[in-house]
Amino acid sequence: MKKNEKIICHCNGVSIKSIVHAIQKGGVVDIADVQRFTLAATGCRRCFPQVEAIVNLEIERLKLVGFQLKIDFKDNA
């Protein structure tokens, strides 16, 4: 992580850029995925509303530009 990146989750040192990258490149589609892949909002959870807002904004932005999001169609039987 670069020095000029804005940290959103201080407990786990997760930057906004890391969250956006997880969504754009890692197939993350919701706040639970962000928590699993980046550990953001899993410590004290004070940043949870901010992380959730970033996720929602980025997902909406990607929908507008036509990216397809992953959908898990696995049979859980």
Side-chain angles (χ1 to χ4, degrees):
M1 180 176 13
K2 296 179 182 175
K3 289 183 181 182
N4 60 351
E5 289 184 24
K6 176 155 168 77
I7 300 296
I8 196 77
C9 175
H10 291 279
C11 292
N12 293 306
V14 182
S15 69
I16 293 173
K17 186 175 180 178
S18 296
I19 294 169
V20 171
H21 185 264
I23 295 166
Q24 290 177 348
K25 306 291 185 203
V28 169
V29 297
D30 60 21
I31 187 71
D33 283 346
V34 167
Q35 289 177 307
R36 277 192 296 277
F37 289 106
T38 68
L39 297 179
T42 60
C44 72
R45 295 182 50 91
R46 283 185 293 186
C47 63
F48 186 90
Q50 295 165 310
V51 172
E52 186 175 43
I54 293 166
V55 171
N56 292 337
L57 285 172
E58 189 61 23
I59 294 295
E60 285 305 311
R61 190 188 73 73
L62 289 175
K63 286 179 185 176
L64 289 175
V65 297
F67 282 83
Q68 284 188 315
L69 301 175
K70 73 172 185 174
I71 300 174
D72 188 6
F73 288 106
K74 291 180 185 174
D75 183 38
N76 292 329

